[in-house]
Amino acid sequence: MEPIAPLVAISGGLLIGIAAALLLLLAGRIAGVSGMLATASTIGAGGAPRSQAVAFVAGLPLGATLIAFLVRKPDLIVTSSVPLLIIAGLLVGFGTRLGNGCTSGHGVCGIARLSHRSIAATATFMASAALVVFIQRHVVGG
Amino acid sequence: MRKLLPGLTAGIIFGAGLVLSDMVNPARVQAFLDVAGAWDPTLAFVMGAALLPSAIAYLVRGRIARPVFAARFFIPENRKLDSPLLIGAAMFGIGWGLVGFCPGPAIAGLVLGAWQPWLFVVAMLAGMVLHRLFTSNQASARKG
């Protein structure tokens, strides 16, 4: 896997932050992907207006396509098996609803507004994710 | 339009940022999480950089009466550090670490030629449905 130049990573991060800033200042909403997906799919109640959530969720692959054509087509490396993808998807879906957010809502938006809940949630999911990768790669798979 | 435009614009810019920074690549994300292996710092740069415009927006928010296209700001007011928050975050982290997908990159990754994001997103939606069934069961158990 080729390393990503720090400046490119920072530019990508700035775009993500600008997206969150726009949604807040234009629509007054938190740019949390799990919450937006729940609202867009009508699985979750409340949150942003449905049309806005659908537009946001649909915008993600549109923006992805734009960069894939204009800048670089990313090479997705996925090593996980089908059962693992299903188990992980279930955990992420259930966990983000129970914990009210994911990397975007808690990580990017919550930490930026110094929400104690989001800081605690981010520390928790970073730690549990790192622990899982450690076990996967250095205990079980090592 | 007042609802669609901010949503679509933010979604497109967000998706663009995820691909530019390669956060759509599960191997890149797992390499960040693998602190004892060949550590890849990309995610730290991305998150650090994302916090800057986001934090500025929250500072601006304190100085303007309302958002441009909405009647008011909708910011969570819950301050409680409760067990659903921490258990949910831990579950999310386990799933995230297992495969390297979180919701944004998985959805943005749907159109990048791999089939795995599709399976992951379907399973993630199923997980959200399970949570909804679980909470409505709890609510009816409390009533009964």
Side-chain angles (χ1 to χ4, degrees):
Chain A
M1 195 170 53
E2 290 283 308
I4 293 283
L7 272 180
V8 175
I10 289 169
S11 310
L14 285 173
L15 285 178
I16 294 169
I18 288 168
L22 278 176
L23 200 64
L24 179 77
L25 297 178
L26 295 180
R29 297 283 175 180
I30 301 274
V33 177
S34 56
M36 286 290 189
L37 178 65
T39 303
S41 61
T42 69
I43 294 170
R50 172 120 198 273
S51 60
Q52 193 170 70
V54 170
F56 179 82
V57 171
L60 295 172
L62 286 177
T65 310
L66 207 67
I67 298 295
F69 272 108
L70 296 179
V71 184
R72 167 174 41 83
K73 172 130 177 40
D75 182 21
L76 266 59
I77 305 168
V78 194
T79 50
S80 312
S81 64
V82 166
L84 206 59
L85 283 162
I86 294 173
I87 292 166
L90 288 170
L91 281 166
V92 169
F94 195 101
T96 51
R97 294 310 293 149
L98 185 64
N100 292 110
C102 58
T103 342
S104 48
H106 281 313
V108 175
C109 300
I111 292 183
R113 64 189 176 90
L114 301 177
S115 152
H116 291 175
R117 272 174 63 84
S118 290
I119 292 168
T122 306
T124 305
F125 66 66
M126 285 281 180
S128 65
L131 184 67
V132 163
V133 170
F134 182 81
I135 294 171
Q136 225 176 8
R137 297 199 171 173
H138 305 286
V139 180
V140 183
Chain B
M1 259 355 231
R2 290 162 61 87
K3 287 173 188 163
L4 277 180
L5 209 62
L8 190 64
T9 312
I12 289 174
I13 298 174
F14 202 115
L18 287 172
V19 176
L20 188 62
S21 58
D22 206 34
M23 288 295 101
V24 287
N25 189 355
R28 178 91 50 203
V29 172
Q30 284 185 315
F32 168 80
L33 294 168
D34 188 10
V35 284
W39 191 64
D40 182 313
T42 307
L43 192 145
F45 285 120
V46 176
M47 200 131 177
L51 283 173
L52 189 70
S54 186
I56 292 172
Y58 283 99
L59 291 178
V60 172
R61 183 228 157 184
R63 295 169 173 268
I64 56 176
R66 42 170 249 166
V68 181
F69 295 126
R72 65 179 185 91
F73 288 99
F74 302 87
I75 309 296
E77 280 161 15
N78 185 353
R79 296 276 166 87
K80 270 197 313 225
L81 290 184
D82 49 16
S83 54
L85 174 79
L86 299 176
I87 295 169
M91 286 176 76
F92 161 50
I94 293 170
W96 187 38
L98 276 177
V99 297
F101 279 124
C102 60
I107 297 170
L110 290 174
V111 292
L112 298 175
W115 57 270
Q116 290 95 337
W118 289 90
L119 179 61
F120 179 85
V121 168
V122 169
M124 177 167 72
L125 286 167
M128 290 184 170
V129 170
L130 281 177
H131 172 263
R132 181 171 160 169
L133 297 175
F134 169 78
T135 41
S136 62
N137 273 347
Q138 272 194 328
S140 55
R142 267 200 299 273
K143 272 182 217 152

